[in-house]
Amino acid sequence: MNIVLVGMQWGDEGKGKVIDILSKRADYIVRYQGGNNAGHTVVVGDKEYIFHLIPSGILHPGKICCIGNGVVIDPEVLKRELADLRKNNIDFSGRFKISTLAHVIMPYHKNLDQLREAKRKNKIGTTGRGIGPCYADKINRCGIRMIDLLNPGVFKDKLKDNLKEKNEIFKKVYGHPGFSFQKIYRQYLDYGKLFSKFVCDTAVLLNKACDDKSDILLEGAQGTFLDIDFGTYPFVTSSSATSGGACIGTGISPVKIDKVVGVCKAYTTRVGEGPFPTEFAEGFGNFMRDRGNEFGATTGRPRRCGWFDAVIARQSVMLNGITELAIMKMDVLDGLDKVKICIAYKYKGRVIKEFPHDFEVLSKAVPIYKEMAGWPNQDNNPSSFKQLHPNARAYLLELQKLLGANITMVSIGSARKSTIFI
Ligand code: IMO
Ligand code: MG
């Protein structure tokens, strides 16, 4: 069974925990887009692991973990993440693979990301990790791929060509001194040597795995509304975070995907700029941020918080082909008098039920809420749907009805055991 897992909102839905759970039944776990803008948190016992690049499935002994061609790799971050695994005695020998075709984040990508943000009037609030500029070079056909780092001659030509153009842009547009060829050349050839044993044609590897009837879990990063096409453009990331990205980013054909699982929080959060119709007012927003510990796993920035938005979540179900839902951080809503679900928007007296594409409409849309009774703190540590407070159950059933997909997992805490399977 090949499963794609996607975020249904603006990222940080709790994908790391669900991946960790689904990894048990998978033979291969694969990242297919994004880069170290992602931060996937997994809690095992009293230890918390945060992964930015390596699939979180690496914690499960014997599983093969791949970074697919659709991912952009910052080699320094990868080096650090591998060192951390070694430090934690997680043996990954022979079971970690990197696609030859994955693009590499270069120092100039990171600088450009930050310089562009600083220059912009309408900031995106990127993570500053060089993600956008690296993908731009990929599409611009001047990117550098993992395989290039293994061939000094090829790498030299590509880097020279890049620096010739980029150094001029850096100087003239940004007043930045530019980059030295020798320094980057040597440093990145070293990365190449360090990673060479992991680099392979992961598309061939994964398609063989399909032929052998192995189970593959495709680990999405970011979320549907950060998708470059379907998200709240331009306040998005630069990759295809929807389920279609799993095929492009791995070389596994769409006919080999069996199921798409959608992950969403029981409420909504967003980091960075951009429209967010159900965002809480400041006071309640601060209260909920503290309750849910909503601070970014990658940049530490406070996350913006709001009520569950069924308009965007329904759109997610449609765009991704989601048939199963994992509802995360349900416990954060415990103890509230009332909970609200946005079922439509209102704009200039008009009721809007579909996600609007016009920026002004989306920015000024006023949510129409369905209000429901809250539920007390659930100290009984519920382990089944039946044990949840009736009002919590009613809330989940309402989400299920609005989204038209089945809830198969509800998370009520960060630990593996704080999960209800339905
Ligand atoms: P995970 O996988 C939340 C957001 C950034 C910014 C926008 C563009 O942990 O859910 P970028 O650096 O990608 O060009 O920034 O996208 N963003 C995320 N927000 N979770 C993520 O990943 C994100 N990755 C990018 O905050 O608004
Ligand atoms: Mg994140």
Side-chain angles (χ1 to χ4, degrees), residues 10-12 15 37-40 124-127 131 221-222 226 236-237 271-272 301:
W10 280 285
D12 304 323
K15 296 181 289 294
N37 45 351
H40 296 174
I124 296 173
T126 73
T127 59
I131 307 294
Q222 285 83 49
L226 290 172
V236 294
T237 191
V271 207
R301 287 178 291 175

Side-chain angles (χ1 to χ4, degrees), residues 345-353 361 366 368:
Y345 304 139
K346 204 163 198 177
Y347 177 71
K348 290 194 173 163
R350 237 175 353 116
V351 174
I352 302 170
K353 290 188 173 162
V361 178
V366 178
I368 301 173

Side-chain angles (χ1 to χ4, degrees), residues 338-349:
K338 282 182 206 140
V339 287
K340 295 187 193 181
I341 303 171
C342 167
I343 50 168
Y345 304 139
K346 204 163 198 177
Y347 177 71
K348 290 194 173 163

Side-chain angles (χ1 to χ4, degrees), residues 2 41 53 60 77 89 100 118 125 141 162 170 179 234 246 285 306 360 373 391 403 411-412:
N2 298 334
T41 309
L53 267 175
H60 294 262
V77 173
N89 293 318
T100 42
R141 293 162 297 184
N162 264 297
F170 270 102
F179 297 84
E360 188 180 325
N391 293 353
L403 304 190
S411 176
I412 50 166

Side-chain angles (χ1 to χ4, degrees), residues 9 35 46 101 136 180 182 205 268 299 305-306 322 366 385 391 417:
Q9 295 155 322
D46 53 10
L101 306 182
S180 134
Q182 275 306 331
L205 179 80
T268 313
T299 55
C305 303
I322 292 164
V366 178
F385 185 68
N391 293 353
K417 64 175 194 319

